[in-house]
Amino acid sequence: MSDTIKTASDMTSKHSAVSASGQRKKIGLAITRWILPVATIALMIWFAWQTPVFFTLDNLLSIATQNAPTFIVAAVFAMLMMAGYVDLSVGSVLALVGVSAGLALNAWGLVPGIVVGLAVGVAAGLVNGVLIGMLSFSPIVVTLGGLAAARGLAQYLGQGSIYGFPDAFANFGSDSTFGVPNLVWIAALVCVISIIATSCFPVGRQIIAIGVNARAAFLIGIRVRLVTTALYVLTGLAVGIAGLLQIARLNSAPSGTLGDGFEVIILTAVLLGGVPFTGGKGSIWRVLVGVWLIGTLRNGLILLDIGTELSGIITGGVLVMAAALEAARYYIHKSK
């Protein structure tokens, strides 16, 4: 009789321990899920408290405009990382796009300049896609090589800063439509298309499946090599659009500084958005919140007259925090 009571007591204790563990896991996952939007809102409130200029419509539109290229690339880059791949060359390719488009704009006019800019981005993405997607080269090695080569080529072609673009191109970068800057409209369009593509079409599930297990995805009929190559090409196209918008906003293409550190900002935003390096999960919505957080941080530091050196340190710290947050998600998810 006493053995039966003891067994029942042990089972009850074990069940209570399992329930408590499951509850802690749910709380931990909820915290990691909501910490990004909560932190973003808290940061905005803090900056608004520090300087009244921050929460004006003009300043919020300025944040959106300055980060329009980042929104565009991050939305597509997130899909690439969901599939378990990475592109470290986006900043250098953006510089090459800007310099090539700038030279073409000055030499041949508006339409050829835009076509050249987009073509350079797509070509860079296609090279990455073929080497990585089709030939199974290492994404890190290939895109690091692309980072060095594209930056060197941009500086060779640019030889300084390129300016004097056609008025229609420069005006587009500074004008607004219905009170919203043109660059914001373009970024919003790309982000909406990315969200719809991953949420409402099979390609979203295919990308996640590749990130979870590429071999298993192939066995169930997903064309892994083709999808991977297409993702790199789309990333190159996004960088092409972003590069054109960037030089239109600046009305110049400085080959030495254009796109400098861009890949770090993109990686930080995507990691903050919960997309791991290993792929297999992620949300474009959360990545866009990550972009807004970084843009808010950089804008607020400028308004508070904090030097660019400290701004870089803080951005690097945010990247480390993003990696720590992803590690926390992993351990909480794996905990029994």
Side-chain angles (χ1 to χ4, degrees):
M1 183 70 174
S2 61
D3 290 343
T4 303
I5 295 173
K6 185 177 180 181
T7 302
S9 176
D10 290 344
M11 290 178 64
T12 303
S13 300
K14 196 174 294 184
H15 177 72
S16 299
V18 171
S19 299
S21 176
Q23 194 67 23
R24 286 195 299 270
K25 181 177 178 179
K26 287 181 180 179
I27 293 172
L29 288 174
I31 291 172
T32 58
R33 184 178 296 116
W34 289 101
I35 191 171
L36 177 62
V38 170
T40 302
I41 294 171
L43 186 65
M44 292 177 68
I45 292 173
W46 188 80
F47 278 133
W49 178 56
Q50 292 294 315
T51 169
V53 177
F54 178 81
F55 242 134
T56 61
L57 179 60
D58 286 344
N59 187 59
L60 295 177
L61 286 176
S62 175
I63 295 174
T65 304
Q66 290 171 2
N67 291 278
T70 310
F71 278 111
I72 290 170
V73 177
V76 181
F77 194 99
M79 292 189 280
L80 183 67
M81 275 190 60
M82 287 178 197
Y85 295 90
V86 70
D87 186 351
L88 301 177
S89 66
V90 289
S92 296
V93 172
L94 187 142
L96 182 58
V97 166
V99 168
S100 302
L103 292 172
L105 283 165
N106 288 343
W108 303 319
L110 181 63
V111 175
I114 293 173
V115 171
V116 166
L118 296 177
V120 169
V122 170
L126 183 61
V127 170
N128 288 335
V130 170
L131 293 177
I132 298 167
M134 295 296 182
L135 301 179
S136 301
F137 285 18
S138 166
I140 300 293
V141 174
V142 170
T143 58
L144 273 177
L147 180 150
R151 176 66 64 181
L153 185 57
Q155 292 176 340
Y156 175 77
L157 293 174
Q159 299 293 322
S161 184
I162 302 167
Y163 51 89
F165 304 142
D167 290 341
F169 184 78
N171 291 338
F172 181 85
S174 58
D175 286 349
S176 300
T177 304
F178 303 117
V180 178
N182 293 332
L183 272 65
V184 176
W185 284 115
I186 300 296
L189 179 63
V190 173
C191 291
V192 168
I193 291 173
S194 300
I195 291 169
I196 292 175
T198 53
S199 303
C200 304
F201 292 92
V203 66
R205 294 188 294 273
Q206 292 177 2
I207 290 170
I208 295 296
I210 294 171
V212 171
N213 190 320
R215 178 61 180 169
F218 173 77
L219 293 175
I220 63 174
I222 296 175
R223 303 175 70 179
V224 175
R225 294 180 185 273
L226 181 61
V227 173
T228 302
T229 302
L231 287 173
Y232 273 105
V233 172
L234 286 174
T235 302
L237 176 61
V239 174
I241 296 171
L244 288 169
L245 295 185
Q246 189 77 313
I247 65 171
R249 183 176 72 85
L250 299 173
N251 197 20
S252 67
S255 61
T257 59
L258 188 62
D260 187 30
F262 189 66
E263 57 281 334
V264 176
I265 295 173
I266 295 294
L267 274 173
T268 304
V270 174
L271 289 171
L272 276 174
V275 183
F277 268 113
T278 52
K281 63 177 180 178
S283 165
I284 292 178
W285 274 113
R286 292 179 61 81
V287 169
L288 299 180
V289 174
V291 174
W292 183 260
L293 184 146
I294 295 171
T296 297
L297 179 62
R298 293 163 69 90
N299 175 266
L301 293 175
I302 291 171
L303 291 178
L304 295 177
D305 198 24
I306 295 176
T308 56
E309 297 84 0
L310 185 57
S311 175
I313 293 171
I314 294 174
T315 302
V318 172
L319 178 57
V320 174
M321 289 172 58
L325 184 60
E326 177 52 38
R329 289 193 191 100
Y330 175 82
Y331 285 114
I332 291 171
H333 182 75
K334 292 295 183 182
S335 63
K336 300 297 183 183

